[in-house]
Amino acid sequence: MKFNNLFVVDDDKVHHFIIKKLLEKNNIQVNPCFFENGLDALSDLKAKLNETENLPDLILLDINMPVLDGWQFLEEFSEIRKNVLKEITIYVVSSSEDYFNSDKLEQFKSLIAEYYVKPMTGDVIKKIFT
């Protein structure tokens, strides 16, 4: 699958920097948007609902964030999903594997395509984008 628009939803600025560098280093042509919490990402998503070309193809979603965490984001996303006119792939990226064994994961398994543990690496980025 070809991803053109990427949302990185994570409160960790270092993670943002790492993703930017990995994309550059691996010559991956994608339009990334960075958000520090789920609420900002959801607001942007809702604002773009009618312009499918600007919607993300892929969301890299952290779980542990202020304001609106990853689980809350997924809850809201599952509500607006029926209004989204394009397929959006969601990968959960977390610094703790504990989240990958939770009941929440079971609840949202229809929304989550893949899980990765931070820090992201060149190999993971290549696997995602090629």
Side-chain angles (χ1 to χ4, degrees):
M1 178 166 207
K2 172 87 173 90
F3 298 121
N4 296 311
N5 297 324
L6 167 67
F7 274 22
V8 177
V9 187
D10 195 313
D11 60 323
D12 181 353
K13 291 270 208 197
V14 174
H15 182 67
H16 291 194
F17 179 78
I18 290 169
I19 296 287
K20 281 179 196 162
K21 286 293 166 210
L22 287 171
L23 292 171
E24 281 170 25
K25 189 177 170 196
N26 292 286
N27 202 19
I28 294 164
Q29 304 301 313
V30 67
N31 306 315
C33 288
F34 295 88
F35 302 93
E36 290 183 38
N37 63 66
L39 186 61
D40 291 346
L42 266 177
S43 300
D44 198 67
L45 202 58
K46 287 177 181 173
K48 292 177 175 167
L49 276 180
N50 299 324
E51 344 160 1
T52 50
E53 71 278 356
N54 292 321
L55 283 169
D57 305 294
L58 173 65
I59 298 174
L60 297 179
L61 180 67
D62 186 25
I63 294 298
N64 196 5
M65 295 178 287
V67 189
L68 197 72
D69 70 19
W71 300 129
Q72 293 166 312
F73 175 91
L74 287 167
E75 227 160 86
E76 295 273 329
F77 182 79
S78 66
E79 293 299 309
I80 63 167
R81 183 182 185 193
K82 55 191 169 290
N83 303 320
V84 178
L85 302 172
K86 91 190 255 188
E87 192 64 38
I88 298 176
T89 303
I90 299 178
Y91 292 162
V92 169
V93 181
S94 179
S95 51
S96 170
E97 281 188 56
D98 297 347
Y99 293 117
F100 303 157
N101 303 321
S102 77
D103 297 338
K104 289 277 193 193
L105 205 56
E106 198 53 35
Q107 185 185 337
F108 295 115
K109 72 176 183 214
S110 66
L111 293 176
I112 302 168
E114 194 64 66
Y115 322 96
Y116 293 104
V117 179
K118 288 182 195 170
M120 293 294 265
T121 63
D123 289 346
V124 170
I125 285 291
K126 282 184 214 149
K127 184 176 164 193
I128 292 171
F129 288 96
T130 53

